[in-house]
Amino acid sequence: MDWLQVVILAVFQGLTEFLPVSSSAHLILVPKFTDWGDQGLAFDVALHLGSLAAVVAYFRQELRSMATAWLASLGGARGNADARLGWWVLLATVPVCVFGLLFRDVIALGMRSPLLLVASLIGFGLLLGYADWGHRGRRSEYQLTLRDALVIGFAQALALIPGTSRSGITITAALLLGLSREASARFSFLLSIPVILLAGGLEALGLFRQPQAIDWTALGVGTLLSGVSAYLCIHYFLAFIRRIGMQPFVIYRLVLGAWLLWVFWP
């Protein structure tokens, strides 16, 4: 890989992992408009590691409180809001793990169509706009119920369809359930931690089956850039949606989808 490829892919991963615009769509599309070859599993793992480090660093205080309360609840202590939130994050992760394992080959081989990307970008973009216009409430992520967590968890499984956006569909579901914009985004970001960890772990296992030379300098730079861009994205995204909302991202998805439809229409 050349350095331009390293920088662009790392920044794309860091930004689109948490913005409701679909990281998979952008990472599929970049090679289609360049002559870059596949970046390899090792680089994919490095980018995921950077995104994971960013979200863990940003929510380190919340995660510390959640982990302490969750472990206490395992020992029989009465669960508080932090313990419940920890349970909801874990339970909401189960559907995407189950469907991801069951349909992994179908997703990898049969769902890379540009027209499917267009349909997902536009369709789920309109759904995000609908949720943001009329269904946002005032509840925080600490007021989620078991039912809420399961609904958001099954919505997250839809992100296995390229173009959907994991953050976009989970924020949409949370808004429809009456969470505030910021609470919807914060729960979505917390949900990303086990998902990125599991996805990165699966990719890392693939490295043992496909031994290859590793450019450690490119991996280090990619991890750093992915982490920094992801951290800044989380920080400014939460501040942005508090004032303005999701509509700019809805418009971006519609414009991108329309452009791709024009480019790829048979």
Side-chain angles (χ1 to χ4, degrees):
M1 290 189 297
D2 60 39
W3 286 111
L4 179 62
Q5 183 180 1
V6 170
V7 172
I8 289 179
L9 290 178
V11 173
F12 259 63
Q13 167 67 25
L15 293 178
T16 60
E17 182 69 45
F18 299 108
L19 293 178
V21 295
S22 178
S23 61
S24 62
H26 287 78
L27 292 178
I28 289 171
L29 291 172
V30 167
K32 287 185 178 293
F33 294 100
T34 66
D35 58 357
W36 295 339
D38 183 80
Q39 63 267 22
L41 272 177
F43 193 68
D44 285 342
V45 172
L47 297 189
H48 279 103
L49 179 61
S51 298
L52 178 64
V55 70
V56 169
Y58 191 88
F59 289 101
R60 59 191 180 279
Q61 294 181 351
E62 291 88 342
L63 290 171
R64 187 181 301 113
S65 298
M66 287 166 56
T68 301
W70 182 80
L71 289 172
S73 72
L74 289 180
R78 184 176 180 179
N80 58 17
D82 285 313
R84 286 194 299 273
L85 184 58
W87 280 111
W88 300 160
V89 168
L90 293 176
L91 290 173
T93 305
V94 172
V96 72
C97 293
V98 172
F99 286 105
L101 291 173
L102 288 177
F103 301 106
R104 187 180 182 187
D105 292 338
V106 174
I107 294 164
L109 299 176
M111 301 182 72
R112 295 283 175 165
S113 164
L115 294 181
L116 178 61
L117 288 179
V118 169
S120 298
L121 282 167
I122 294 176
F124 289 112
L126 290 172
L127 185 60
L128 174 61
Y130 171 73
D132 189 53
W133 281 321
H135 290 80
R136 63 181 183 274
R138 298 179 179 274
R139 290 199 295 154
S140 78
E141 65 272 29
Y142 291 96
Q143 295 173 301
L144 285 166
T145 65
L146 172 60
R147 172 183 170 275
D148 296 332
L150 291 176
V151 169
I152 296 172
F154 278 100
Q156 181 171 235
L158 293 173
L160 295 168
I161 303 171
T164 301
S165 170
R166 190 208 61 80
S167 63
I169 196 63
T170 51
I171 289 172
T172 298
L175 288 170
L176 290 172
L177 290 168
L179 271 70
S180 68
R181 286 169 173 163
E182 189 176 4
S184 298
R186 289 174 66 86
F187 188 66
S188 173
F189 294 157
L190 290 172
L191 275 181
S192 74
I193 295 173
V195 171
I196 296 174
L197 186 62
L198 291 170
L202 284 175
E203 290 182 336
L205 288 176
L207 291 176
F208 294 103
R209 296 192 294 269
Q210 300 177 17
Q212 54 186 300
I214 295 177
D215 184 345
W216 291 105
T217 303
L219 261 61
V221 172
T223 302
L224 178 63
L225 289 176
S226 175
V228 171
S229 58
Y231 190 95
L232 293 174
C233 174
I234 294 170
H235 176 76
Y236 287 108
F237 178 74
L238 289 172
F240 181 86
I241 62 171
R242 193 181 303 125
R243 300 192 306 271
I244 299 175
M246 302 291 176
Q247 302 316 308
F249 304 103
V250 174
I251 294 170
Y252 175 82
R253 290 179 67 117
L254 297 181
V255 171
L256 178 60
W259 178 69
L260 292 176
L261 184 62
W262 178 73
V263 169
F264 291 110
W265 187 257

